[in-house]
Amino acid sequence: MTQHVGIIDLGSNTARMIVVQYQPYYSFKLVEEVKENVRLAHNVGADNQLQAEPMAMAIETLRMFSNFCRALGVNEVVAVATSAVRDAANQASFLAQVKEETGLDLRVLSGDEEAYYSYLGVINTLGVSNGFMFDIGGGSVELALVRGRGLAHTTSLPLGTVRLTEQILRSETPSKAELKALDRHLDEALAELDWFRPQGSKLPLIGVGGTVRNLAKLEQRAQRYPLDIVHGYTMSLQRVDEWATRLSKLNRNEREQLDGLNNDRADVITAGVLLIRALMQRCGADSLWICGHGLRDGIFYEQFLRGSQPPLLGDVRQFSVENLARIYGYNVVHVAKVRELSLALFDQLQSLHGYGAWERELLEAATVVHDIGVAVNFYDHHKHGLYLILNSMLNGYTHREMAMVALLTRHHRKGGVTDAGLGGVLAEGDLERVGKLSALLRIAEYLERSKSQVVQSIVCKIEKNQVRVKVQAVGDASIEIWDANRKTNLFRKVYGVEMLIE
Amino acid sequence: MTQHVGIIDLGSNTARMIVVQYQPYYSFKLVEEVKENVRLAHNVGADNQLQAEPMAMAIETLRMFSNFCRALGVNEVVAVATSAVRDAANQASFLAQVKEETGLDLRVLSGDEEAYYSYLGVINTLGVSNGFMFDIGGGSVELALVRGRGLAHTTSLPLGTVRLTEQILRSETPSKAELKALDRHLDEALAELDWFRPQGSKLPLIGVGGTVRNLAKLEQRAQRYPLDIVHGYTMSLQRVDEWATRLSKLNRNEREQLDGLNNDRADVITAGVLLIRALMQRCGADSLWICGHGLRDGIFYEQFLRGSQPPLLGDVRQFSVENLARIYGYNVVHVAKVRELSLALFDQLQSLHGYGAWERELLEAATVVHDIGVAVNFYDHHKHGLYLILNSMLNGYTHREMAMVALLTRHHRKGGVTDAGLGGVLAEGDLERVGKLSALLRIAEYLERSKSQVVQSIVCKIEKNQVRVKVQAVGDASIEIWDANRKTNLFRKVYGVEMLIE
């Protein structure tokens, strides 16, 4: 049964709520997000007292979230608070007031819990098993080390971007002395963590939070990157270092002019990027993975995979492909047959294409989602499929892989091979891969033309100048065979041999 | 309850089937289309005998369609045949064979019935009440005159493109003599119709069928038209005349090189466009409307609006907007409130924008579909909404109007005004309209931020340098008011005055 859960996260700067529609273990879709800049930690002094005005604003916002859930029929609400409330001297009275005025039981997360939920958000959405990770907020940064998809270490440090900016980088353009002081401050804070050091093998650093997302956006704009997706994007240490150096020299006004910078972040981006650089250097990572999912997603996965301990998807890639197909509704038996026939062609023609497990998995993924574009319009549904894949996301895949799955979908029916503007994400040989794999997918699709599983199996025979495909049918498959034979042009073009289906 | 109907249409050249998912009178969506080139009329001689091979091919295809329906659980199938079967001397034995081998009861349409269903397809999908219309097939052309959405006259003439090409335009490049003979032939055939003449007021000519769709595609490519939609596109007599002249001078190979020409049509496009020109000249139309829907759609509307006589949608525009919202699922009460608040702003600020009923209706349409992009992804759903509108179609709207509704949706949340590449479809002042209308929509959307209808009503007071909006709320609307006030930038920019919401 479809359920809705509302997940509220009250941070130092921002209050956010997401609403996710889901069927446990089966599929889900984010259907709402609301965000308000409540600045709860504003003017908190050395005595750690939340101030009256921000508290009132936070409570108004939580009441609005609560109305929102009621109006949408969301009966399951999880509300958490992070460092601002965690550190507040007047925490108890604030929580009581929240409860009284909004009915919400605000759960205050410890630093370790915060890191844990970020970790769940990361490991359920990226295809990474080992790495360091961070989640930068306004007040604190959570750090962790992930080993074999498990959480090996976590800690929370008071190095949030607002805090670093207000305490250290106070000038319009950071002064040399301030930059030095920040470096020293970060060095000292990180020096205490004996596990946040280079490990036996190189590990990537995975970054969560608005700062790292905005850094990725700056880089993508500068590179004229063809996708408008930051989740799963990667940056080298060198590029992070270049941005850190560049940002250090700009004043607020100059930062606001940067293409891709979110104005809300203009005052804290410099401290944030300097922190990211320091983290990369400290743990010896030479690549930064941007993760678009964190705390709230982690809390969601705990609901979604209730009962699993830890709540981790068995296979992020497979789940995300199936989730996409489930969201748009798909013909399970048709997909199963197209998958079977595509993989049979792939396996039996291995000596012609020479591809391995990686390409096979991409082809398989494309068979699952090949028809989702019908949700937009039956006509040109191959093109709409590409749009949906690139805009709904396939978690666990790199951008390059996602582009390949999208392009296979794009070519499953007709036309010559195009990169659809995605050339900048592909690597050498990928367009040839797209051609060779979609030639197979297209034959399989037309052998399943009537969507009634008339073709039971196929046997390919590779001859001198042609491939003969012998069809074993249940009943009359003459139209399927006729149609599939009309769709062999692409095969001929990319493999350089004829295909005869009989 | 959701039903599926399969509609099969066996023509002279092609057999097609569409499958439509629908709830009577409420909503529908085309979910499948299959097309096979069976060339049933191939080699039919003077004795009008369908030949054995094409008949066998047609029967195989119908069996495949039948399997298709069975596999998809489509239990309602309507199968019709047009001129090839209608004119066949061996019609009865063919129908018996179809019945025996596929189980399908093929209904042979008369020329008038064929014209009637085309008319239903046209009038239920275009915002036109009066006009001449044609539907060009391979064997025949159906003509009609529509008056006040009713069918005033119909006829069927043996002027299909395959017939004209085989009988008259037989050379690779049509000779002068052939062109003259064709003109004479068309003149004579049309001269007999006393109603297919200029009427009191100028009427447009509406064209249905692959030939006119392909003509539109040729023109769009030549004009670098920004939309990939032919339904609802219009062409002047002058442009049709220019294409007729140009095509007359090309041989088959040269025609195949034309950007946008479907290769299947390369042999018959010239006769088709010459026929269209002759029809326009004969009935005195100076504009040609391309309709992407015809016979099969007409049969569908008879099912969809069962019981209505004639089966016509009351309001094509309103239905298509609601259908789109229903397909993607929408929050009815939220939409109702955003519509109410948007229209209240529009009406109360009429003296500031000076717009009338036309703009008001576009704004209203946008309120209904403003959130459909969430079906793709909540993030950037305003952009996905634009994509869905332009690719799912809003029947009854001109391309310009559709682009405006898409752009209002595109701007309902944030950002400055852009034409999103649609400048070529807009007219003078439209981008200003988009700015002024979306400024209102955006305020309304944020006053409905919590989607819980907290804002009951608004009263606008136009002062010297500002507009004050007094909010009447049910309960606490402080966050809504706060958020809406943060969204007044666009209003200030496009109206040149401040807005204060309180």
Side-chain angles (χ1 to χ4, degrees), chain A residues 110-124 128-135 142-156 195-196 199 203 206 208 295 298 302 309-312:
Chain A
S110 70
D112 279 345
E113 288 172 323
E114 203 178 334
Y116 170 72
Y117 286 116
S118 283
Y119 145 81
L120 287 184
V122 166
I123 297 303
N124 279 309
V128 172
S129 301
N130 298 288
F132 292 99
M133 54 168 281
F134 67 80
D135 185 345
E142 279 64 51
L143 299 177
L145 173 60
V146 178
R147 281 278 180 207
R149 303 187 85 208
L151 198 51
H153 291 281
T154 63
T155 198
S156 177
W195 55 268
F196 202 78
Q199 305 288 307
L203 293 179
I206 302 158
V208 176
L295 176 63
E302 193 176 57
Q309 199 43 258
L312 293 182

Side-chain angles (χ1 to χ4, degrees), chain B residues 142-198:
Chain B
E142 279 64 51
L143 299 177
L145 173 60
V146 178
R147 281 279 182 206
R149 304 187 85 208
L151 198 51
H153 291 281
T154 63
T155 198
S156 177
L157 296 175
L159 304 175
T161 53
V162 175
R163 198 185 294 253
L164 293 178
T165 305
E166 288 181 356
Q167 291 181 354
I168 305 176
L169 292 196
R170 300 161 77 168
S171 307
E172 263 279 298
T173 314
S175 68
K176 283 236 163 86
E178 286 170 353
L179 291 168
K180 213 169 215 169
L182 181 68
D183 275 353
R184 208 176 323 115
H185 183 69
L186 296 177
D187 271 355
E188 282 169 15
L190 296 173
E192 292 168 23
L193 301 176
D194 56 355
W195 56 268
F196 202 79
R197 298 282 163 81

